[in-house]
Amino acid sequence: MFHKEGFKIIFITLISVIIGVLAVDFLIEIEWLRMTLMIGLIIFLLLILQFFRNPKRHTKLQDHTCVSPVDGKVVVIEEVFEKEVFNEKCIQVSVFMSPINVHVTRYPISGNISYSKYHPGKYLVAWHPKASEENERTTVVVDNKNFGRILYRQIAGALAKRIVNYAKENDSATQGADSGFIKFGSRVDVFLPLDADIKVALNQKVRGGESIIAERV
Protein backbone atom coordinates (compact mmCIF):
# COMPACT_ATOMS: atom_id res chain seq x y z
CA MET A 1 0.00 0.00 0.00
CA PHE A 2 1.39 3.39 -0.99
CA HIS A 3 0.67 6.88 0.28
CA LYS A 4 -1.38 9.11 -2.03
CA GLU A 5 1.38 11.75 -1.95
CA GLY A 6 3.60 9.35 -3.85
CA PHE A 7 1.22 8.34 -6.66
CA LYS A 8 2.48 10.96 -9.14
CA ILE A 9 6.17 10.40 -8.37
CA ILE A 10 5.75 6.61 -8.51
CA PHE A 11 4.01 6.83 -11.90
CA ILE A 12 6.66 9.15 -13.36
CA THR A 13 9.46 6.98 -11.97
CA LEU A 14 7.88 3.79 -13.33
CA ILE A 15 7.55 5.24 -16.84
CA SER A 16 11.09 6.64 -16.70
CA VAL A 17 12.55 3.31 -15.56
CA ILE A 18 10.70 1.39 -18.30
CA ILE A 19 11.99 3.81 -20.94
CA GLY A 20 15.47 3.65 -19.41
CA VAL A 21 15.56 -0.15 -19.43
CA LEU A 22 14.39 -0.28 -23.06
CA ALA A 23 16.95 2.36 -24.06
CA VAL A 24 19.78 0.55 -22.28
CA ASP A 25 18.77 -2.76 -23.87
CA PHE A 26 18.75 -1.16 -27.34
CA LEU A 27 21.83 1.06 -27.10
CA ILE A 28 24.30 -0.77 -24.85
CA GLU A 29 26.03 -3.76 -26.41
CA ILE A 30 28.42 -4.61 -23.57
CA GLU A 31 26.60 -7.30 -21.58
CA TRP A 32 27.93 -6.52 -18.08
CA LEU A 33 27.34 -2.78 -18.50
CA ARG A 34 23.83 -3.32 -19.84
CA MET A 35 22.89 -5.57 -16.93
CA THR A 36 24.45 -3.20 -14.39
CA LEU A 37 22.48 -0.23 -15.69
CA MET A 38 19.24 -2.19 -15.80
CA ILE A 39 19.68 -3.44 -12.24
CA GLY A 40 20.50 0.10 -11.11
CA LEU A 41 17.27 1.43 -12.64
CA ILE A 42 15.21 -1.30 -11.00
CA ILE A 43 16.83 -0.66 -7.62
CA PHE A 44 16.02 3.04 -7.99
CA LEU A 45 12.36 2.17 -8.62
CA LEU A 46 12.28 -0.12 -5.59
CA LEU A 47 13.73 2.65 -3.39
CA ILE A 48 11.00 5.06 -4.52
CA LEU A 49 8.34 2.44 -3.85
CA GLN A 50 9.61 1.68 -0.35
CA PHE A 51 9.88 5.39 0.51
CA PHE A 52 6.21 6.04 -0.24
CA ARG A 53 4.90 2.90 1.42
CA ASN A 54 2.05 3.44 3.86
CA PRO A 55 1.80 0.37 6.11
CA LYS A 56 -1.31 -0.13 8.19
CA ARG A 57 -0.74 0.63 11.85
CA HIS A 58 -2.80 -0.64 14.77
CA THR A 59 -3.21 2.30 17.13
CA LYS A 60 -4.75 1.61 20.53
CA LEU A 61 -6.79 4.77 21.13
CA GLN A 62 -6.01 6.12 24.60
CA ASP A 63 -6.45 9.66 25.88
CA HIS A 64 -3.73 9.25 28.51
CA THR A 65 -0.99 8.31 26.03
CA CYS A 66 0.87 10.14 23.26
CA VAL A 67 2.14 7.98 20.42
CA SER A 68 4.99 8.76 18.08
CA PRO A 69 3.73 10.66 15.03
CA VAL A 70 6.37 9.08 12.77
CA ASP A 71 8.76 6.18 12.31
CA GLY A 72 12.41 6.82 13.13
CA LYS A 73 14.90 7.25 15.94
CA VAL A 74 14.54 9.40 19.05
CA VAL A 75 17.32 12.00 18.88
CA VAL A 76 16.22 14.60 21.47
CA ILE A 77 14.60 14.40 24.91
CA GLU A 78 14.97 17.66 26.80
CA GLU A 79 13.20 20.48 28.60
CA VAL A 80 12.84 23.53 26.36
CA PHE A 81 10.95 26.81 26.16
CA GLU A 82 8.34 26.58 23.40
CA LYS A 83 7.80 30.12 22.18
CA GLU A 84 5.59 29.84 19.10
CA VAL A 85 2.35 28.79 20.81
CA PHE A 86 2.69 27.81 24.47
CA ASN A 87 5.24 30.41 25.66
CA GLU A 88 6.25 28.09 28.47
CA LYS A 89 8.58 25.23 29.25
CA CYS A 90 7.79 21.82 27.78
CA ILE A 91 9.45 18.48 27.23
CA GLN A 92 10.61 18.11 23.64
CA VAL A 93 10.89 14.66 22.09
CA SER A 94 12.32 14.64 18.55
CA VAL A 95 12.23 11.75 16.10
CA PHE A 96 14.59 11.72 13.12
CA MET A 97 13.54 9.95 9.92
CA SER A 98 16.11 8.66 7.47
CA PRO A 99 15.18 8.27 3.78
CA ILE A 100 14.45 4.57 4.38
CA ASN A 101 11.85 5.21 7.09
CA VAL A 102 8.10 5.45 6.48
CA HIS A 103 7.43 9.20 6.14
CA VAL A 104 3.72 9.28 6.94
CA THR A 105 2.91 11.68 9.79
CA ARG A 106 0.18 10.54 12.19
CA TYR A 107 -1.74 12.34 14.93
CA PRO A 108 -0.03 11.61 18.28
CA ILE A 109 -3.31 11.92 20.20
CA SER A 110 -7.01 12.45 19.61
CA GLY A 111 -8.66 15.80 20.20
CA ASN A 112 -9.46 19.18 18.69
CA ILE A 113 -6.93 20.87 16.39
CA SER A 114 -6.57 24.37 17.82
CA TYR A 115 -3.55 25.54 15.80
CA SER A 116 -2.05 24.69 12.41
CA LYS A 117 0.48 26.87 10.65
CA TYR A 118 3.03 26.54 7.85
CA HIS A 119 6.41 28.31 8.05
CA PRO A 120 8.68 28.69 5.00
CA GLY A 121 12.36 28.39 5.82
CA LYS A 122 15.78 26.88 5.20
CA TYR A 123 16.81 23.28 4.53
CA LEU A 124 19.45 22.66 7.17
CA VAL A 125 20.16 19.02 7.97
CA ALA A 126 17.29 17.75 10.12
CA TRP A 127 19.47 17.11 13.18
CA HIS A 128 20.85 20.67 13.20
CA PRO A 129 20.04 22.44 16.54
CA LYS A 130 18.43 25.37 14.71
CA ALA A 131 16.39 23.25 12.28
CA SER A 132 13.33 23.44 14.55
CA GLU A 133 13.23 27.24 14.26
CA GLU A 134 14.82 28.01 10.87
CA ASN A 135 13.84 25.19 8.50
CA GLU A 136 10.65 24.90 6.51
CA ARG A 137 8.12 23.46 8.97
CA THR A 138 4.53 23.13 10.09
CA THR A 139 3.26 23.45 13.65
CA VAL A 140 0.10 21.71 14.84
CA VAL A 141 -1.52 21.74 18.29
CA VAL A 142 -4.04 19.10 19.38
CA ASP A 143 -6.10 19.71 22.53
CA ASN A 144 -7.02 16.61 24.49
CA LYS A 145 -9.11 17.02 27.67
CA ASN A 146 -7.27 14.28 29.55
CA PHE A 147 -3.69 14.61 28.35
CA GLY A 148 -3.67 18.35 27.70
CA ARG A 149 -2.27 20.27 24.73
CA ILE A 150 0.29 18.55 22.52
CA LEU A 151 2.26 20.39 19.85
CA TYR A 152 4.03 18.57 17.06
CA ARG A 153 6.18 20.12 14.37
CA GLN A 154 7.05 18.63 10.96
CA ILE A 155 10.52 19.83 9.97
CA ALA A 156 12.04 19.60 6.50
CA GLY A 157 15.61 18.37 6.22
CA ALA A 158 18.37 18.86 3.65
CA LEU A 159 16.63 16.45 1.26
CA ALA A 160 13.00 17.18 2.15
CA LYS A 161 11.57 19.76 -0.25
CA ARG A 162 7.90 19.44 0.51
CA ILE A 163 5.91 19.10 3.72
CA VAL A 164 2.28 18.01 3.46
CA ASN A 165 0.02 18.85 6.40
CA TYR A 166 -3.65 17.81 6.48
CA ALA A 167 -4.41 19.26 9.93
CA LYS A 168 -6.87 22.15 9.86
CA GLU A 169 -7.89 24.32 12.79
CA ASN A 170 -11.13 23.28 14.51
CA ASP A 171 -11.10 19.83 12.90
CA SER A 172 -11.00 16.69 15.02
CA ALA A 173 -7.85 14.58 15.22
CA THR A 174 -7.90 10.81 15.70
CA GLN A 175 -4.87 9.27 17.34
CA GLY A 176 -2.80 7.36 14.78
CA ALA A 177 -4.70 8.69 11.75
CA ASP A 178 -2.85 10.13 8.75
CA SER A 179 -2.08 13.83 9.33
CA GLY A 180 0.47 14.46 6.58
CA PHE A 181 3.67 13.45 4.84
CA ILE A 182 7.24 14.73 4.56
CA LYS A 183 9.04 13.90 1.34
CA PHE A 184 12.53 12.51 2.01
CA GLY A 185 14.77 12.88 5.11
CA SER A 186 13.26 14.94 7.92
CA ARG A 187 12.31 15.20 11.59
CA VAL A 188 9.29 15.69 13.84
CA ASP A 189 9.40 17.44 17.24
CA VAL A 190 6.73 16.76 19.86
CA PHE A 191 6.23 19.19 22.77
CA LEU A 192 4.63 17.73 25.90
CA PRO A 193 3.59 19.01 29.36
CA LEU A 194 6.40 18.99 31.93
CA ASP A 195 4.63 16.38 34.05
CA ALA A 196 4.29 13.91 31.15
CA ASP A 197 5.88 10.53 31.87
CA ILE A 198 8.33 9.93 29.01
CA LYS A 199 8.36 6.31 27.85
CA VAL A 200 11.19 6.41 25.29
CA ALA A 201 14.97 6.76 25.47
CA LEU A 202 17.55 8.43 23.25
CA ASN A 203 18.43 6.45 20.12
CA GLN A 204 15.35 4.25 20.56
CA LYS A 205 13.57 3.30 17.34
CA VAL A 206 9.86 4.10 17.28
CA ARG A 207 6.90 3.32 15.01
CA GLY A 208 4.42 6.01 14.07
CA GLY A 209 0.94 5.47 15.48
CA GLU A 210 2.04 2.58 17.73
CA SER A 211 5.05 3.41 19.95
CA ILE A 212 4.00 5.27 23.12
CA ILE A 213 6.36 8.18 23.76
CA ALA A 214 4.63 9.59 26.84
CA GLU A 215 1.80 9.05 29.33
CA ARG A 216 -0.09 11.49 31.52
CA VAL A 217 -2.57 10.07 33.98
Side-chain angles (χ1 to χ4, degrees), residues 55-90:
K56 186 176 181 179
R57 293 293 162 80
H58 302 283
T59 304
K60 186 176 181 181
L61 301 180
Q62 300 179 106
D63 284 339
H64 69 283
T65 65
C66 172
V67 299
S68 177
V70 291
D71 289 21
K73 182 172 71 173
V74 177
V75 293
V76 173
I77 301 175
E78 63 182 7
E79 183 178 310
V80 299
F81 187 85
E82 200 293 306
K83 58 185 180 181
E84 180 181 347
V85 181
F86 296 157
N87 288 310
E88 62 184 19
K89 289 184 177 180
C90 303

Short mmCIF file of all heavy atoms in Angstrom, two decimals, residues 55-90:
data_model
loop_
_atom_site.label_atom_id
_atom_site.label_comp_id
_atom_site.label_asym_id
_atom_site.label_seq_id
_atom_site.Cartn_x
_atom_site.Cartn_y
_atom_site.Cartn_z
N PRO A 55 2.26 1.58 5.43
CA PRO A 55 1.80 0.37 6.11
C PRO A 55 0.68 0.67 7.10
O PRO A 55 0.64 1.73 7.71
CB PRO A 55 3.07 -0.12 6.83
CG PRO A 55 3.87 1.12 7.05
CD PRO A 55 3.62 1.98 5.84
N LYS A 56 -0.21 -0.27 7.23
CA LYS A 56 -1.31 -0.13 8.19
C LYS A 56 -0.77 -0.25 9.60
O LYS A 56 0.02 -1.14 9.91
CB LYS A 56 -2.38 -1.19 7.93
CG LYS A 56 -3.62 -1.02 8.79
CD LYS A 56 -4.68 -2.05 8.41
CE LYS A 56 -5.94 -1.85 9.26
NZ LYS A 56 -7.00 -2.84 8.89
N ARG A 57 -1.17 0.66 10.46
CA ARG A 57 -0.74 0.63 11.85
C ARG A 57 -1.94 0.41 12.76
O ARG A 57 -3.04 0.90 12.49
CB ARG A 57 -0.02 1.93 12.22
CG ARG A 57 1.31 2.10 11.49
CD ARG A 57 2.32 1.05 11.95
NE ARG A 57 3.43 0.89 11.05
CZ ARG A 57 4.49 1.68 10.98
NH1 ARG A 57 4.57 2.74 11.78
NH2 ARG A 57 5.46 1.45 10.14
N HIS A 58 -1.72 -0.32 13.84
CA HIS A 58 -2.80 -0.64 14.77
C HIS A 58 -2.63 0.22 16.02
O HIS A 58 -1.90 -0.12 16.95
CB HIS A 58 -2.76 -2.12 15.11
CG HIS A 58 -2.86 -3.01 13.90
ND1 HIS A 58 -4.05 -3.25 13.25
CD2 HIS A 58 -1.90 -3.68 13.22
CE1 HIS A 58 -3.83 -4.04 12.21
NE2 HIS A 58 -2.54 -4.32 12.17
N THR A 59 -3.31 1.36 16.01
CA THR A 59 -3.21 2.30 17.13
C THR A 59 -4.27 1.97 18.17
O THR A 59 -5.45 1.86 17.85
CB THR A 59 -3.43 3.75 16.65
OG1 THR A 59 -2.48 4.05 15.62
CG2 THR A 59 -3.25 4.73 17.79
N LYS A 60 -3.83 1.81 19.42
CA LYS A 60 -4.75 1.61 20.53
C LYS A 60 -5.14 2.98 21.05
O LYS A 60 -4.33 3.67 21.67
CB LYS A 60 -4.09 0.77 21.62
CG LYS A 60 -5.03 0.39 22.75
CD LYS A 60 -4.33 -0.51 23.76
CE LYS A 60 -5.28 -0.90 24.89
NZ LYS A 60 -4.61 -1.77 25.90
N LEU A 61 -6.36 3.42 20.76
CA LEU A 61 -6.79 4.77 21.13
C LEU A 61 -6.86 4.93 22.64
O LEU A 61 -7.62 4.24 23.33
CB LEU A 61 -8.16 5.07 20.52
CG LEU A 61 -8.25 4.99 18.98
CD1 LEU A 61 -9.65 5.31 18.52
CD2 LEU A 61 -7.25 5.95 18.35
N GLN A 62 -6.05 5.86 23.16
CA GLN A 62 -6.01 6.12 24.60
C GLN A 62 -5.75 7.61 24.83
O GLN A 62 -4.79 8.16 24.30
CB GLN A 62 -4.89 5.31 25.27
CG GLN A 62 -5.02 3.80 25.11
CD GLN A 62 -3.88 3.06 25.77
OE1 GLN A 62 -4.02 2.45 26.83
NE2 GLN A 62 -2.72 3.13 25.16
N ASP A 63 -6.60 8.23 25.62
CA ASP A 63 -6.45 9.66 25.88
C ASP A 63 -5.32 9.99 26.85
O ASP A 63 -4.92 11.15 26.96
CB ASP A 63 -7.76 10.25 26.43
CG ASP A 63 -8.80 10.44 25.34
OD1 ASP A 63 -8.41 10.51 24.15
OD2 ASP A 63 -10.00 10.52 25.65
N HIS A 64 -4.80 8.98 27.55
CA HIS A 64 -3.73 9.25 28.51
C HIS A 64 -2.35 8.96 27.93
O HIS A 64 -1.34 9.09 28.63
CB HIS A 64 -3.93 8.44 29.80
CG HIS A 64 -3.73 6.96 29.62
ND1 HIS A 64 -4.66 6.15 29.05
CD2 HIS A 64 -2.67 6.16 29.95
CE1 HIS A 64 -4.21 4.90 29.02
NE2 HIS A 64 -3.01 4.89 29.57
N THR A 65 -2.29 8.59 26.65
CA THR A 65 -0.99 8.31 26.03
C THR A 65 -0.79 9.17 24.79
O THR A 65 -1.73 9.55 24.10
CB THR A 65 -0.86 6.83 25.62
OG1 THR A 65 -1.82 6.54 24.59
CG2 THR A 65 -1.05 5.91 26.81
N CYS A 66 0.47 9.45 24.49
CA CYS A 66 0.87 10.14 23.26
C CYS A 66 1.74 9.18 22.48
O CYS A 66 2.76 8.70 23.00
CB CYS A 66 1.65 11.42 23.60
SG CYS A 66 2.40 12.24 22.18
N VAL A 67 1.36 8.89 21.24
CA VAL A 67 2.14 7.98 20.42
C VAL A 67 3.06 8.77 19.50
O VAL A 67 2.83 9.95 19.22
CB VAL A 67 1.25 7.04 19.59
CG1 VAL A 67 0.38 6.18 20.50
CG2 VAL A 67 0.38 7.83 18.62
N SER A 68 4.08 8.10 19.02
CA SER A 68 4.99 8.76 18.08
C SER A 68 4.25 9.08 16.80
O SER A 68 3.54 8.24 16.26
CB SER A 68 6.18 7.85 17.78
OG SER A 68 7.03 8.46 16.83
N PRO A 69 4.41 10.30 16.28
CA PRO A 69 3.73 10.66 15.03
C PRO A 69 4.40 10.07 13.79
O PRO A 69 3.79 10.06 12.72
CB PRO A 69 3.80 12.18 15.01
CG PRO A 69 4.97 12.53 15.87
CD PRO A 69 5.07 11.45 16.90
N VAL A 70 5.64 9.59 13.93
CA VAL A 70 6.37 9.08 12.77
C VAL A 70 7.26 7.91 13.15
O VAL A 70 7.53 7.66 14.32
CB VAL A 70 7.25 10.18 12.13
CG1 VAL A 70 6.42 11.24 11.47
CG2 VAL A 70 8.19 10.79 13.17
N ASP A 71 7.74 7.20 12.13
CA ASP A 71 8.76 6.18 12.31
C ASP A 71 10.13 6.86 12.39
O ASP A 71 10.34 7.90 11.75
CB ASP A 71 8.78 5.22 11.12
CG ASP A 71 7.57 4.31 11.09
OD1 ASP A 71 6.54 4.65 11.70
OD2 ASP A 71 7.64 3.25 10.43
N GLY A 72 11.06 6.26 13.11
CA GLY A 72 12.41 6.82 13.13
C GLY A 72 13.13 6.54 14.43
O GLY A 72 12.82 5.57 15.14
N LYS A 73 14.08 7.41 14.74
CA LYS A 73 14.90 7.25 15.94
C LYS A 73 14.79 8.49 16.82
O LYS A 73 14.86 9.62 16.32
CB LYS A 73 16.37 7.02 15.54
CG LYS A 73 17.29 6.78 16.73
CD LYS A 73 18.68 6.36 16.28
CE LYS A 73 19.43 7.50 15.63
NZ LYS A 73 20.84 7.15 15.34
N VAL A 74 14.63 8.29 18.11
CA VAL A 74 14.54 9.40 19.05
C VAL A 74 15.92 10.05 19.19
O VAL A 74 16.89 9.38 19.57
CB VAL A 74 14.05 8.92 20.43
CG1 VAL A 74 14.02 10.09 21.43
CG2 VAL A 74 12.66 8.31 20.32
N VAL A 75 16.02 11.33 18.86
CA VAL A 75 17.32 12.00 18.88
C VAL A 75 17.39 13.12 19.92
O VAL A 75 18.47 13.61 20.24
CB VAL A 75 17.67 12.58 17.49
CG1 VAL A 75 17.90 11.45 16.49
CG2 VAL A 75 16.60 13.53 16.99
N VAL A 76 16.24 13.53 20.46
CA VAL A 76 16.22 14.60 21.47
C VAL A 76 15.16 14.29 22.52
O VAL A 76 14.03 13.93 22.18
CB VAL A 76 15.90 15.98 20.85
CG1 VAL A 76 15.72 17.04 21.96
CG2 VAL A 76 16.99 16.42 19.89
N ILE A 77 15.54 14.39 23.79
CA ILE A 77 14.60 14.40 24.91
C ILE A 77 15.11 15.45 25.88
O ILE A 77 16.12 15.23 26.56
CB ILE A 77 14.52 13.03 25.64
CG1 ILE A 77 14.09 11.91 24.67
CG2 ILE A 77 13.51 13.10 26.80
CD1 ILE A 77 14.12 10.53 25.30
N GLU A 78 14.46 16.59 25.93
CA GLU A 78 14.97 17.66 26.80
C GLU A 78 13.88 18.67 27.14
O GLU A 78 12.86 18.77 26.46
CB GLU A 78 16.13 18.38 26.12
CG GLU A 78 15.78 19.10 24.83
CD GLU A 78 16.98 19.77 24.18
OE1 GLU A 78 18.09 19.56 24.66
OE2 GLU A 78 16.80 20.52 23.20
N GLU A 79 14.12 19.41 28.20
CA GLU A 79 13.20 20.48 28.60
C GLU A 79 13.57 21.74 27.83
O GLU A 79 14.73 22.15 27.82
CB GLU A 79 13.31 20.72 30.11
CG GLU A 79 12.33 21.76 30.63
CD GLU A 79 12.43 21.94 32.14
OE1 GLU A 79 12.40 20.92 32.86
OE2 GLU A 79 12.55 23.10 32.61
N VAL A 80 12.59 22.34 27.18
CA VAL A 80 12.84 23.53 26.36
C VAL A 80 11.74 24.55 26.61
O VAL A 80 10.71 24.25 27.21
CB VAL A 80 12.88 23.18 24.85
CG1 VAL A 80 13.99 22.21 24.54
CG2 VAL A 80 11.54 22.64 24.39
N PHE A 81 11.97 25.77 26.11
CA PHE A 81 10.95 26.81 26.16
C PHE A 81 10.31 26.90 24.78
O PHE A 81 10.96 27.28 23.81
CB PHE A 81 11.55 28.16 26.56
CG PHE A 81 10.51 29.23 26.79
CD1 PHE A 81 9.88 29.36 28.01
CD2 PHE A 81 10.16 30.10 25.76
CE1 PHE A 81 8.93 30.34 28.23
CE2 PHE A 81 9.19 31.08 25.95
CZ PHE A 81 8.58 31.21 27.20
N GLU A 82 9.04 26.53 24.68
CA GLU A 82 8.34 26.58 23.40
C GLU A 82 7.72 27.96 23.26
O GLU A 82 6.83 28.34 24.01
CB GLU A 82 7.25 25.50 23.36
CG GLU A 82 6.78 25.12 21.96
CD GLU A 82 6.06 26.23 21.24
OE1 GLU A 82 5.08 26.78 21.81
OE2 GLU A 82 6.48 26.58 20.12
N LYS A 83 8.18 28.71 22.26
CA LYS A 83 7.80 30.12 22.18
C LYS A 83 6.84 30.47 21.04
O LYS A 83 6.38 31.60 20.96
CB LYS A 83 9.05 30.98 22.04
CG LYS A 83 9.93 30.68 20.84
CD LYS A 83 11.19 31.52 20.88
CE LYS A 83 12.10 31.23 19.69
NZ LYS A 83 13.35 32.02 19.73
N GLU A 84 6.52 29.51 20.18
CA GLU A 84 5.59 29.84 19.10
C GLU A 84 4.14 29.87 19.56
O GLU A 84 3.37 30.76 19.19
CB GLU A 84 5.73 28.84 17.95
CG GLU A 84 4.78 29.15 16.79
CD GLU A 84 4.87 28.17 15.64
OE1 GLU A 84 5.82 27.36 15.60
OE2 GLU A 84 3.99 28.20 14.77
N VAL A 85 3.75 28.91 20.39
CA VAL A 85 2.35 28.79 20.81
C VAL A 85 2.19 28.84 22.33
O VAL A 85 1.44 29.65 22.87
CB VAL A 85 1.72 27.48 20.28
CG1 VAL A 85 0.25 27.38 20.70
CG2 VAL A 85 1.84 27.39 18.77
N PHE A 86 2.91 27.96 23.03
CA PHE A 86 2.69 27.81 24.47
C PHE A 86 3.32 28.92 25.31
O PHE A 86 2.80 29.28 26.36
CB PHE A 86 3.25 26.46 24.94
CG PHE A 86 2.54 25.26 24.35
CD1 PHE A 86 3.18 24.03 24.27
CD2 PHE A 86 1.24 25.35 23.88
CE1 PHE A 86 2.54 22.92 23.75
CE2 PHE A 86 0.59 24.26 23.35
CZ PHE A 86 1.24 23.04 23.29
N ASN A 87 4.48 29.42 24.88
CA ASN A 87 5.24 30.41 25.66
C ASN A 87 5.50 29.92 27.08
O ASN A 87 5.34 30.66 28.06
CB ASN A 87 4.50 31.76 25.70
CG ASN A 87 4.55 32.47 24.36
OD1 ASN A 87 5.61 32.62 23.77
ND2 ASN A 87 3.39 32.88 23.86
N GLU A 88 5.92 28.68 27.18
CA GLU A 88 6.25 28.09 28.47
C GLU A 88 7.16 26.88 28.26
O GLU A 88 7.35 26.42 27.12
CB GLU A 88 4.98 27.66 29.21
CG GLU A 88 4.16 26.60 28.50
CD GLU A 88 2.87 26.28 29.22
OE1 GLU A 88 2.44 27.10 30.05
OE2 GLU A 88 2.29 25.21 28.94
N LYS A 89 7.69 26.38 29.34
CA LYS A 89 8.58 25.23 29.25
C LYS A 89 7.80 23.95 28.96
O LYS A 89 6.69 23.75 29.47
CB LYS A 89 9.39 25.07 30.54
CG LYS A 89 10.45 26.16 30.74
CD LYS A 89 11.28 25.90 31.99
CE LYS A 89 12.37 26.94 32.15
NZ LYS A 89 13.20 26.69 33.36
N CYS A 90 8.39 23.11 28.15
CA CYS A 90 7.79 21.82 27.78
C CYS A 90 8.90 20.77 27.70
O CYS A 90 10.08 21.10 27.77
CB CYS A 90 7.11 21.91 26.41
SG CYS A 90 5.86 23.17 26.24
#
